[in-house]
Amino acid sequence: MGLLNRKCSLLGLCLSLILVLQGCSDDVNSDNLFIFSGETISSYLEKTDGYHLFSELTARVTTGSKTDSRVKALLSARGNYTVFAPNDAAVREFVDSVYEQKNYPLDSISDEMARYIVRNAIIDNGTDEAYMTTDFQIGALEKRSLDDRYIMVSFDTINGKTAVIINEKSVIENPDVECSNGYVQGVTRVLQPSNDKLPDLMKQADNMRIFSKLLEVTGLADSLSHVRDEYYEANHAEYGYDLSKRLSVLNPEHRYYGFTAFAEPDSVFEAEWGIEAPVYKQDEFVNWESILAKLKEKCAEAYPDAKGEDMTSNDNPVYQFVAYHLVPARMSWEKMVIHYLEMGYAFNNPNNLTIDCNEYYETMGGLHRLMKITEGRQTDGKRINRHCTYDRDTYDELTVDRPGIKISSDNGKFSINALNGFYYPIDHILTYDDGVPGVVLNDRLRWDFSSLFSEVITNGIRRYPDNGAHPIPRGYCERISWTADSWCVYLPYAGAYSQCNYQADEYNIRGQYDLTFRLPPVPFEGTWQFRICAPCNSGFGMAQFYIGKDKNNQQAIGLPVDLRLSLSNPNIGWQADDPEDEEFNREVDKNMLNHDYMKPPRHDGISRNGAPVTESMRNSETYRANLRVRKIVWTGTIRPDEVMYMRIKSVLTNPFACFLLDYMEWVPKSVFNGVEEEDQW
């Protein structure tokens, strides 16, 4: 398809999207809807030559499905709005191309079409400042449009000057027009986010023919077809609890499903596997059978233990190959690997990366396989399954034995932003070879809890840019549950304020807490140690830990853990590092290990208002009262095909107790009891 294949398909496509996403922004704050003096965005668009058509459409489109308030009134109100306003020529070109008639009357276009043009162009930044072009980085903007779609940013050189490109095609020609309630970014084309689901969007890229067809023949395209949980849409409570159990904070408005595909372009298959280039005639893939025969041969070599003949079975090598490319979360580029409080990093200068950061994601297909994504100063971009050795003092990369597969942030002229996810081209063939579990993942694996919850990633909750308390309703996240006596609040800790957290966020399970979550898989069979962040605070009470394969019946692990103990209590044994005495520091570490505790990792540190992080969590003096040590909960033998659950239950009667979920670790015996002492990072 070219622009939208264009004409008639966009009409139906817009209508279908409205039906799917109707009411996406009915939470626009009506308290702001009053007119005040000054050049508002609305008055600027109305008075300025070149934006009259877009202004006219804003007077026609409502702010939501349940109100008659118009977008024009919204843009006249107090607030912080970012408007990617298409000029008159852009609106005219778009409308005429869809209706296939020159100078098609603007008042004759459908309401759905007007809504598509207007609502995809506007971001309500809420209490945050509206976006200026100096705020832009490659990838998706943090805030989504009024139609709840990500807006993509990229850069190019046009006539010798750097240009900002929005959604692959719209050039900002009139940047940063400041109004009293936000900024207008004048663009050369109507913003056109694709309304296709991920597999359908990939079909439109003529360099993704092979992978797109593989999704189809394995049946995995069907697994990528879900968009939104309609039961949640109709039945969720509007408000959830804050930290004090006041029913006063909005619950997530939607529960979207999302997916991410890391896909080889056809040229990579040709270069590395000798696959012939696809040949299409009249939309027919004429040489698919010969391509598939070669793919089957190569996949069988890559997955020799997969013997199934049915390509829709997870015992088939082609299925296993494709499934390992898919993650069940809609991951925007800038949040694929989180950078916030790692040592040396300054979040006010986000492009100046420092030490490596890793994320681990479980891939699709029910095969219990992990994908590692790494990014840092030395990685030259985001890399899948990179492996290297590190300097034990600085965490700088020393030797790199597996550079990792590089992920591209875009696919050139083709959109990667589907209705329910993203796809990203990769530069080499991706397989789950023996070196992935045996080398890449034979390491301490650390998860921020947000990276375990695909719903939090997909729905834009992870690292939400404020310090508010965000309720997570019961049942919202498939991987975790808690009883009716508990409630959950997510705290992103944006900006200068931060507790002593990994990645500066946390979950509070409050009340008479009793929670159960599914653990991520281990990559190989062996002895593994499970660790969890364990704050020392009187409000956390005492917790009994359980582990087992049955979600509803796990075995208790030892005695309850008293989370009220101070760091210096002999049953923990924490003492600050002595910078002049490494032997003393080792003795303290050994003493803590004897009590199944460890100091926090050195990797992340304490916020300095966006300046480079210099004070590590391991030995923070600033936040000693809130220092979160690691608790070794369980050590045992586990296989990668086993699904394990952890239950944590308060054993004290306290309806306002709290258990904190910050990060967890799976650590193999080769690390916690290896030839070389485990590093502090």
Side-chain angles (χ1 to χ4, degrees):
M1 279 193 183
L3 203 49
L4 271 172
N5 193 24
R6 291 268 215 273
K7 333 294 189 201
C8 60
S9 83
L10 179 58
L11 286 167
L13 179 146
C14 285
L15 179 58
S16 65
L17 180 66
I18 301 310
L19 294 174
V20 170
L21 300 183
Q22 192 170 32
C24 279
S25 65
D26 288 350
D27 60 344
V28 172
N29 187 350
S30 60
D31 292 342
N32 290 334
L33 296 182
F34 63 91
I35 309 301
F36 64 101
S37 61
E39 182 76 339
T40 65
I41 293 174
S42 182
S43 62
Y44 171 82
L45 295 172
E46 184 176 14
K47 295 176 184 177
T48 304
D49 288 341
Y51 296 105
H52 294 318
L53 296 183
F54 185 73
S55 176
E56 182 180 332
L57 290 174
T58 65
R60 175 177 170 181
V61 174
T62 62
T63 60
S65 62
K66 301 174 184 177
T67 177
D68 195 46
S69 297
R70 304 293 159 152
V71 171
K72 186 178 180 68
L74 181 72
L75 299 180
S76 298
R78 188 183 304 278
N80 296 290
Y81 304 100
T82 308
V83 180
F84 296 92
N87 60 35
D88 287 348
V91 174
R92 174 55 53 208
E93 177 187 18
F94 179 74
V95 170
D96 291 354
S97 69
V98 170
Y99 289 94
E100 298 182 311
Q101 178 180 322
K102 189 174 179 60
N103 294 322
Y104 189 85
L106 200 65
D107 58 4
S108 295
I109 71 172
S110 67
D111 290 342
E112 291 79 15
M113 183 63 64
R115 174 184 169 121
Y116 180 83
I117 295 171
V118 171
R119 289 168 58 85
N120 281 308
I122 299 171
I123 294 174
D124 182 352
N125 289 78
T127 58
D128 297 326
E129 293 294 322
Y131 290 119
M132 298 180 65
T133 53
T134 52
D135 299 321
F136 293 162
Q137 303 176 55
I138 292 174
L141 292 175
E142 186 92 42
K143 305 278 189 177
R144 287 173 285 187
S145 72
L146 293 185
D147 252 353
D148 221 4
R149 298 299 306 276
Y150 280 107
I151 291 178
M152 307 295 292
V153 175
S154 58
F155 300 90
D156 201 353
T157 301
I158 299 177
N159 298 325
K161 295 182 179 180
T162 299
V164 182
I165 314 297
I166 304 299
N167 285 3
E168 292 90 20
K169 295 181 175 68
S170 302
V171 180
I172 295 182
E173 62 173 357
N174 186 21
D176 300 332
V177 177
E178 185 175 7
C179 299
S180 58
N181 58 346
Y183 287 95
V184 173
Q185 308 289 352
V187 296
T188 58
R189 299 185 70 165
V190 169
L191 269 61
Q192 300 170 47
S194 174
N195 296 334
D196 289 306
K197 298 172 185 177
L198 187 57
D200 298 320
L201 183 68
M202 295 184 73
K203 281 184 182 179
Q204 299 172 24
D206 60 18
N207 65 339
M208 289 285 171
R209 304 286 197 189
I210 294 174
F211 194 87
S212 177
K213 188 69 173 178
L214 285 172
L215 285 174
E216 182 181 319
V217 299
T218 57
L220 285 161
D222 295 335
S223 300
L224 308 180
S225 64
H226 305 293
V227 176
R228 193 173 70 179
D229 182 346
E230 296 301 333
Y231 181 84
Y232 180 85
E233 200 72 16
N235 295 283
H236 75 274
E238 184 176 7
Y239 287 92
Y241 292 125
D242 64 10
L243 293 171
S244 301
K245 207 177 183 180
R246 292 177 298 225
L247 202 63
S248 60
V249 187
L250 287 170
N251 276 320
E253 189 176 3
H254 308 288
R255 186 176 183 266
Y256 291 116
Y257 301 108
F259 309 93
T260 301
F262 300 95
E264 296 90 348
D266 300 334
S267 58
V268 172
F269 283 114
E270 183 178 1
E272 296 190 18
W273 274 5
I275 306 295
E276 59 188 287
V279 176
Y280 266 73
K281 291 182 180 178
Q282 297 180 339
D283 290 333
E284 182 183 353
F285 201 153
V286 297
N287 62 337
W288 169 245
E289 290 303 322
S290 61
I291 287 176
L292 180 58
K294 184 70 171 180
L295 286 168
K296 286 181 176 180
E297 174 189 328
K298 290 294 186 179
C299 290
E301 293 174 4
Y303 297 93
D305 295 332
K307 303 297 185 181
E309 295 292 329
D310 181 0
M311 284 192 294
T312 65
S313 165
N314 67 4
D315 188 39
N316 176 270
V318 177
Y319 183 98
Q320 292 195 10
F321 172 76
V322 178
Y324 190 60
H325 292 67
L326 309 176
V327 174
R330 178 171 62 173
M331 293 194 291
S332 59
W333 176 255
E334 72 288 348
K335 288 188 177 180
M336 192 182 298
V337 178
I338 297 297
H339 298 283
Y340 204 73
L341 290 181
E342 63 264 31
M343 293 300 293
Y345 183 72
F347 60 72
N348 282 345
N349 187 13
N351 295 318
N352 186 22
L353 300 178
T354 57
I355 60 176
D356 287 359
C357 292
N358 300 315
E359 298 283 352
Y360 301 93
Y361 298 106
E362 187 173 353
T363 56
M364 293 179 63
L367 297 162
H368 307 291
R369 289 172 176 166
L370 297 173
M371 174 188 294
K372 175 185 177 183
I373 304 181
T374 303
E375 186 179 39
R377 179 184 64 248
Q378 299 175 258
T379 63
D380 184 29
K382 295 178 173 67
R383 300 276 178 170
I384 299 175
N385 294 339
R386 182 179 180 86
H387 184 263
C388 60
T389 61
Y390 290 98
D391 184 291
R392 295 176 65 86
D393 185 51
T394 65
Y395 206 62
D396 290 333
E397 292 185 354
L398 294 178
T399 61
V400 181
D401 57 296
R402 290 180 64 119
I405 295 173
K406 190 172 184 179
I407 308 169
S408 176
S409 63
D410 61 45
N411 191 25
K413 64 181 179 179
F414 301 107
S415 173
I416 64 169
N417 181 11
L419 177 63
N420 62 344
F422 295 94
Y423 76 89
Y424 299 98
I426 55 179
D427 70 345
H428 289 290
I429 298 287
L430 172 63
T431 63
Y432 193 75
D433 62 85
D434 290 343
V436 177
V439 177
V440 174
L441 300 174
N442 188 2
D443 201 354
R444 176 186 53 227
L445 310 178
R446 182 180 299 141
W447 283 266
D448 183 271
F449 268 91
S450 286
S451 66
L452 292 172
F453 304 145
S454 60
E455 299 85 358
V456 169
I457 299 171
T458 293
N459 289 276
I461 300 170
R462 186 183 191 185
R463 297 290 331 126
Y464 197 80
D466 67 15
N467 288 313
H470 299 267
I472 307 295
R474 287 180 68 206
Y476 192 81
C477 295
E478 182 181 355
R479 197 175 203 119
I480 185 171
S481 61
W482 50 88
T483 61
D485 292 332
S486 318
W487 72 97
C488 179
V489 177
Y490 173 64
L491 301 165
Y493 294 133
Y497 179 72
S498 174
Q499 295 284 0
C500 202
N501 297 78
Y502 181 63
Q503 296 187 358
D505 66 348
E506 66 182 53
Y507 295 81
N508 283 190
I509 311 293
R510 297 203 160 220
Q512 193 66 41
Y513 60 77
D514 187 348
L515 61 138
T516 301
F517 58 92
R518 178 166 58 88
L519 297 172
V522 297
F524 55 84
E525 183 175 359
T527 301
W528 288 80
Q529 193 174 83
F530 176 81
R531 306 168 182 167
I532 197 168
C533 169
C536 300
N537 187 295
S538 60
F540 293 89
M542 294 182 68
Q544 177 66 58
F545 288 82
Y546 305 78
I547 195 167
K549 301 173 189 177
D550 184 343
K551 181 179 180 180
N552 300 309
N553 184 23
Q554 300 107 40
Q555 297 297 312
I557 306 169
L559 298 173
V561 177
D562 193 342
L563 301 169
R564 302 167 297 176
L565 300 180
S566 66
L567 289 169
S568 58
N569 186 287
N571 289 317
I572 296 179
W574 181 92
Q575 295 185 64
D577 282 353
D578 184 338
E580 306 297 328
D581 192 343
E582 281 302 317
E583 186 57 36
F584 169 79
N585 299 336
R586 288 192 185 94
E587 287 301 316
V588 172
D589 287 346
K590 289 178 182 177
N591 183 47
M592 291 183 67
L593 280 171
N594 288 335
H595 295 96
D596 289 330
Y597 283 96
M598 297 177 68
K599 288 184 177 181
R602 285 178 63 184
H603 188 276
D604 273 29
I606 309 305
S607 175
R608 297 181 59 235
N609 297 315
V613 175
T614 58
E615 185 181 2
S616 170
M617 283 202 304
R618 173 178 166 88
N619 209 42
S620 171
E621 295 291 333
T622 305
Y623 279 88
R624 183 177 296 187
N626 290 313
L627 203 60
R628 283 89 189 265
V629 292
R630 286 175 280 183
K631 173 64 179 174
I632 300 170
V633 177
W634 178 80
T635 302
T637 301
I638 183 174
R639 300 194 313 268
D641 61 338
E642 292 178 319
V643 177
M644 300 289 284
Y645 294 90
M646 176 71 64
R647 180 187 179 194
I648 305 170
K649 178 184 179 181
S650 174
V651 297
L652 300 181
T653 301
N654 182 354
F656 287 93
C658 175
F659 191 85
L660 179 144
L661 298 176
D662 184 5
Y663 62 92
M664 59 149 285
E665 297 175 346
W666 270 130
V667 188
K669 187 175 181 179
S670 61
V671 173
F672 73 77
N673 191 26
V675 175
E676 190 175 25
E677 185 180 32
E678 182 178 350
D679 68 64
Q680 298 177 350
W681 294 90

